[in-house]
Amino acid sequence: MYSRILFCLLLHGTAVSLVRGDCNTCTYPSEVACVSATQFQFCVNNSPTGPVNTCPNGMVCTGGATICQGNGVAPAACSGCNECNLNQTFACTGPRTFALCLGSSVISNITGNCAPYHVCNIDTPNICGNATLGSPATCSFIDSTPTPEPTTTPTTDPTAYCRLIRQNGRFPYGTLLCSTCRQYIGCYLLSGIWYGAIYTCPGNLFFDSTSRYCTKTVPARCSLGVQNIQLFNITLE
Ligand SMILES: *[C@@H]1O[C@H](CO)[C@@H](O)[C@H](O)[C@H]1NC(C)=O
Ligand SMILES: *[C@@H]1O[C@H](CO)[C@@H](O)[C@H](O)[C@H]1NC(C)=O
Ligand SMILES: *[C@@H]1O[C@H](CO)[C@@H](O)[C@H](O)[C@H]1NC(C)=O
Ligand SMILES: *[C@@H]1O[C@H](CO)[C@@H](O)[C@H](O)[C@H]1NC(C)=O
């Protein structure tokens, strides 16, 4: 039964072609969603539902006009996971976790979690989209092994922070809209030892972790859908 449906979809399934090979997104009108690089589910009420189907050997799920295609012909779905977004603000590292990119294409060691009912979406400027409102997760739920949230302690010691991040420059201090969103930590190396200091943006500006400047716009890490961020074992409140 399923193989007949699959065969039919492989030949005739049509849908909007998606550039990156989106994940967990129901395509119209084929009504399927890729849920990993090689697997898909059918959609009911625009939500992936029921058994997980696997593409034929050597094929990847594309979510495009043809659901499964030869590897290399079209980009596999769920490939936006662990990649910095175009704005170099963040990367989704799991369905509900992310890491900041700090204005480069390299994923930093500052990681974070989405708030309840939110999922990390590479196309959302605010990092975590409201899943109840239909925002899909960029990373596969099936491929991700849930890791327990690390036990972290809040710290106000900028030197401890700089000894963990071990890089020169300005870094985000926290996610509290009225206080730490407006501050940043400057790290510097002196005689081979890392030191840090806390600075406050002038006026009512916020510290933008991508441009590394103080700006008027509320930074992504300080938006409602973000639960917290941390640097190894320290919470950045
Ligand atoms: C993250 O931390 C690890 C371990 O300290 C280090 O090897 C790596 O270079 C760091 N990554 C970045 C982007 O700084
Ligand atoms: C990227 O940056 C532009 C300009 O700041 C902004 O309008 C846009 O929403 C951002 N897009 C994402 C996906 O973050
Ligand atoms: C997410 O969307 C639901 C449904 O509209 C809404 O009730 C909830 O308040 C939203 N959560 C946030 C944090 O925006
Ligand atoms: C984090 O871990 C480092 C060593 O890995 C330790 O020196 C430091 O005290 C810890 N910080 C907190 C806040 O627990």
Side-chain angles (χ1 to χ4, degrees), residues 85 87 89-90 122-125:
N85 68 348
N87 286 8
T89 303
F90 70 99
I122 194 172
D123 297 316
T124 302

Side-chain angles (χ1 to χ4, degrees), residues 117-118 130-133 224-225:
Y117 307 108
H118 284 68
N130 191 331
T132 315
L133 293 179
L224 272 182

